[in-house]
Amino acid sequence: MNYKTLHKVSYGLYVVSSRKENKFNGQIANTIFQVTSEQPTIAVSINKQNLTHQFIKESRKFAVSILSKDTPMKFIGHFGFKSGREIDKFKDVNYKVDDAGVPIVLDNAVAYLVAEVIKEVDVGTHTIFIGKVVEAEILKDEEPMTYAYYHEVKQGKAPKTAPTYIKEEPKKEAESMVKYRCKVCGYEYDPEKGDPDSGIKPKTSFEELPEDWVCPICGVGKDEFEKEE
């Protein structure tokens, strides 16, 4: 069975956020869809291990920020590969809090939705939260990012807790320049492409990268990379 067939299913890329008492948290998600139109309801699938799951389960509210096509990979890595148990994800991030106290991420968002949970479905590793839409706004007239674009153009990876995570086998291609893979998030540094977003030109070997260079997705240093065999 070719599990990569599932990558052909259409998704977007979002920040799902919620609160617990006076604390905020958010995470990257792609499995969000509209369920009904009258009354508008949406569903989101969240891994039970994630802190955001705990926040939504307790507050019964969540916001969905729809990310733009030009969202930087470091921003996606901040919300997708870092834990709110260790850092304050909302520090230095532009956001607002609605009347119900739900934090809404505004940076890199083209629009947002706020929903109140009316039902939840246990699907093993994840919970599907179904919410009644209580607020919706368009922020920018820009194209949202699709999950296919994130994978194919941005070369983004899915966290292990994502509903769409697929374990990839190491590539065994003969390359003129050696590739290195991040042990934390799976990002592959390809010397042929470089890292233009960080000012690294194509044809720059891994050894030539500055010592302060970090993974463009999850932000770890060069010591967390391993050579691909």
Side-chain angles (χ1 to χ4, degrees):
M1 183 183 297
N2 187 352
Y3 288 101
K4 289 188 176 180
T5 304
L6 294 168
H7 283 169
K8 301 302 181 183
V9 178
S10 180
Y11 302 96
L13 206 65
Y14 317 92
V15 174
V16 175
S17 52
S18 188
R19 73 174 296 159
K20 177 184 177 184
E21 299 173 349
N22 63 341
K23 295 182 179 179
F24 300 150
N25 196 59
Q27 67 166 78
I28 293 294
N30 69 300
T31 312
I32 296 170
F33 58 93
Q34 183 175 349
V35 180
T36 62
S37 59
E38 298 179 6
Q39 164 87 39
T41 56
I42 58 175
V44 57
S45 180
I46 303 293
N47 192 291
K48 293 176 182 177
Q49 298 179 25
N50 292 355
L51 187 62
T52 304
H53 181 279
Q54 178 184 331
F55 280 29
I56 295 175
K57 198 168 182 66
E58 293 195 19
S59 71
R60 315 304 292 172
K61 298 180 179 69
F62 63 90
V64 176
S65 298
I66 304 169
L67 298 182
S68 74
K69 192 174 183 179
D70 297 326
T71 300
M73 292 299 287
K74 287 184 179 179
F75 181 86
I76 297 172
H78 176 75
F79 278 98
F81 289 93
K82 297 181 184 296
S83 172
R85 295 181 177 91
E86 300 171 357
I87 65 168
D88 177 4
K89 292 189 180 182
F90 282 78
K91 184 180 180 181
D92 301 323
V93 171
N94 185 28
Y95 69 94
K96 72 174 185 177
V97 180
D98 77 347
D99 293 339
V102 180
I104 303 165
V105 174
L106 301 177
D107 281 343
N108 303 300
V110 299
Y112 69 83
L113 304 161
V114 180
E116 295 179 352
V117 176
I118 57 175
K119 188 175 183 179
E120 58 182 80
V121 181
D122 188 322
V123 287
T125 57
H126 291 66
T127 297
I128 297 175
F129 294 103
I130 301 172
K132 176 179 67 176
V133 177
V134 295
E135 189 176 346
E137 294 292 341
I138 295 176
L139 302 174
K140 302 175 184 177
D141 185 20
E142 296 180 8
E143 187 176 353
M145 186 184 299
T146 65
Y147 202 51
Y149 185 88
Y150 170 69
H151 272 288
E152 296 168 12
V153 179
K154 292 279 200 177
Q155 298 297 306
K157 305 296 181 182
K160 291 183 179 180
T161 56
T164 53
Y165 173 74
I166 297 174
K167 184 177 180 180
E168 297 183 1
E169 296 296 327
K171 295 180 180 179
K172 297 183 179 180
E173 300 175 354
E175 297 286 350
S176 57
M177 300 185 75
V178 178
K179 297 179 182 179
Y180 281 73
R181 184 179 297 274
C182 176
K183 293 184 287 186
V184 176
C185 71
Y187 168 79
E188 178 186 79
Y189 176 74
D190 184 349
E192 297 290 343
K193 298 177 181 177
D195 178 15
D197 289 344
S198 301
I200 306 299
K201 297 179 179 180
K203 305 293 184 181
T204 301
S205 69
F206 186 81
E207 291 76 14
E208 294 174 315
L209 292 173
E211 288 306 311
D212 60 354
W213 178 84
V214 297
C215 174
I217 294 182
C218 68
V220 299
K222 292 175 63 177
D223 57 338
E224 291 293 337
F225 278 72
E226 59 186 0
K227 183 187 297 186
E228 289 194 348
E229 299 296 335

